[in-house]
């Protein structure tokens, strides 16, 4: 059996998330249907993660298996792009070792969240607009607190089926890009709704409603009810997933 990684991106506005759902169109469903059309049999794929409804991905990776080696992978990617809707793109398809796993072998994932305080009629669908002033210096100080913890129960969606709420955060901070402020966070794994809950709580710091010490106490409480409200998904992007080099065929 031959295994392949698909590098892809999508605008999540019109999808009920990544994972196949019984009552909504998803990104995984669209790609599996396109592969089945081209390869003439069902081809299940496994994604690096499960983005929620409305969340975007500039870079998502998924893997699939095929019995025979596929000779022309660029041509397969091109044919997939012709079949897929305009809000999904296949960047490339690459061979990997048979044991490589798009989800379990990922060493880090990086998300970005976009916030602005300025009204913009051309970018509102991809940025979360806040009213009033935000103290981004205080928000960046609060970000440093994240590195002191591994248990992020306070930022996890309740009643999930994960065995642990431990994550290792490698990077977290806000940077300004024109009129938009971008929160970038990288970790070895993320919990359901984690990034949106972190951003919502950091915005409480930015508005002066929560101190940096209060932000620390939110994490220490290990209680989702202590954290801020989750921000909307339309301004959240998965932007990178990394893997060990030895997974790729030379």
């Amino acid at each position: 059996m031959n295994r392949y990684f698909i590098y892809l991106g999508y605008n999540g506005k019109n999808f009920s998330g990544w994972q196949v759902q019984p009552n909504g169109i998803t990104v995984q469903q669209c790609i599996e249907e396109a592969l089945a059309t081209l390869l003439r049999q069902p081809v299940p794929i496994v994604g690096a993660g499960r983005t929620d409804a409305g969340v975007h991905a500039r870079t998502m990776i998924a893997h699939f298996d095929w019995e025979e080696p596929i000779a022309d992978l660029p041509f397969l990617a091109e044919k997939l792009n012709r079949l897929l809707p305009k809000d999904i793109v296949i960047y490339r398809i690459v061979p990997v070792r048979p044991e490589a796993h798009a989800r379990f072998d990922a060493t880090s994932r990086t998300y970005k969240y976009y916030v602005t305080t300025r009204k913009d009629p051309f970018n509102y669908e991809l940025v979360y607009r806040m009213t009033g002033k935000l103290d981004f210096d205080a928000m960046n100080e609060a970000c440093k607190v994240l590195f002191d913890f591994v248990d992020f129960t306070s930022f996890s969606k309740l009643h999930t089926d994960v065995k642990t709420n431990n994550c290792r955060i490698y990077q977290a901070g806000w940077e300004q890009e024109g009129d938009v402020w971008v929160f970038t966070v990288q970790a070895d794994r993320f919990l359901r709704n984690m990034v949106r809950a972190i951003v919502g709580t950091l915005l409480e710091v930015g508005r002066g409603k929560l101190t940096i010490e209060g932000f620390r106490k939110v994490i220490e409480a290990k209680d989702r009810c202590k954290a801020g409200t989750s921000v909307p998904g339309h301004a959240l992007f998965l932007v990178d997933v990394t893997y060990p080099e030895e997974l790729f065929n030379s």
Side-chain angles (χ1 to χ4, degrees):
M1 191 67 70
N2 300 274
R3 179 158 290 184
Y4 299 92
F5 273 13
I6 307 174
Y7 285 75
L8 65 130
Y10 51 87
N11 182 319
K13 178 184 177 182
N14 296 319
F15 298 104
S16 300
W18 163 265
Q19 193 173 24
V20 171
Q21 304 286 340
N23 55 356
I25 298 174
T26 68
V27 180
Q28 180 185 13
Q29 172 192 341
C30 289
I31 296 172
E32 287 183 345
E33 289 175 353
L35 277 170
T37 298
L38 293 174
L39 299 178
R40 301 182 184 281
Q41 69 180 58
V43 184
I45 64 174
V46 177
R50 296 180 292 182
T51 56
D52 292 333
V55 175
H56 318 290
R58 296 195 189 279
T59 300
M60 167 67 90
I61 290 87
H63 76 246
F64 73 95
D65 295 325
W66 192 246
E67 291 185 7
E68 301 296 328
I70 300 174
D72 196 339
L73 292 172
F75 185 53
L76 176 59
E78 180 184 340
K79 290 199 291 185
L80 282 171
N81 277 323
R82 292 176 185 173
L83 280 179
L84 288 166
K86 61 184 178 181
D87 34 18
I88 301 176
V89 61
I90 305 298
Y91 301 126
R92 64 188 186 278
I93 303 172
V94 300
V96 293
R97 298 190 181 280
E99 68 275 12
H101 197 285
R103 180 181 176 191
F104 297 134
D105 286 331
T107 54
S108 76
R109 297 164 178 83
T110 304
Y111 283 88
K112 290 183 181 288
Y113 195 90
Y114 296 82
V115 171
T116 186
T117 56
R118 180 179 177 182
K119 187 175 182 180
D120 184 346
F122 306 107
N123 203 28
Y124 65 90
E125 290 187 333
L126 302 175
V127 175
Y128 180 41
R129 184 186 173 218
M130 301 284 299
T131 56
K133 292 184 178 180
L134 294 169
D135 186 345
F136 285 96
D137 289 336
M139 291 160 69
N140 271 328
E141 284 300 311
C143 285
K144 296 176 183 177
V145 175
L146 294 168
F147 302 117
D148 296 337
F149 295 90
V150 294
D151 188 331
F152 292 102
T153 300
S154 292
F155 298 133
S156 173
K157 186 175 182 179
L158 297 174
H159 311 303
T160 63
D161 57 358
V162 298
K163 296 179 180 179
T164 174
N165 288 333
N166 288 0
C167 310
R168 182 72 63 182
I169 292 182
Y170 304 131
Q171 176 188 1
W174 293 87
E175 291 184 342
Q176 189 172 12
E177 297 180 4
D179 295 322
V180 177
W181 282 86
V182 185
F183 176 65
T184 303
V185 59
Q186 180 188 38
D188 60 349
R189 62 189 291 265
F190 286 92
L191 308 172
R192 289 288 305 277
N193 209 47
M194 179 174 167
V195 180
R196 292 162 62 189
I198 289 176
V199 173
T201 311
L202 287 171
L203 290 174
E204 294 291 288
V205 175
R207 289 185 286 203
K209 296 184 177 181
L210 184 68
T211 64
I212 294 170
E213 185 57 31
F215 184 77
R216 179 182 294 275
K217 289 180 179 179
V218 165
I219 303 174
E220 290 174 341
K222 301 178 184 179
D223 181 353
R224 178 66 186 90
C225 296
K226 301 294 185 183
T229 303
S230 294
V231 288
H234 72 273
L236 179 61
F237 290 74
L238 174 63
V239 298
D240 193 27
V241 186
T242 60
Y243 297 92
E245 283 296 323
E246 58 265 25
L247 293 184
F248 299 88
N249 293 333
S250 56

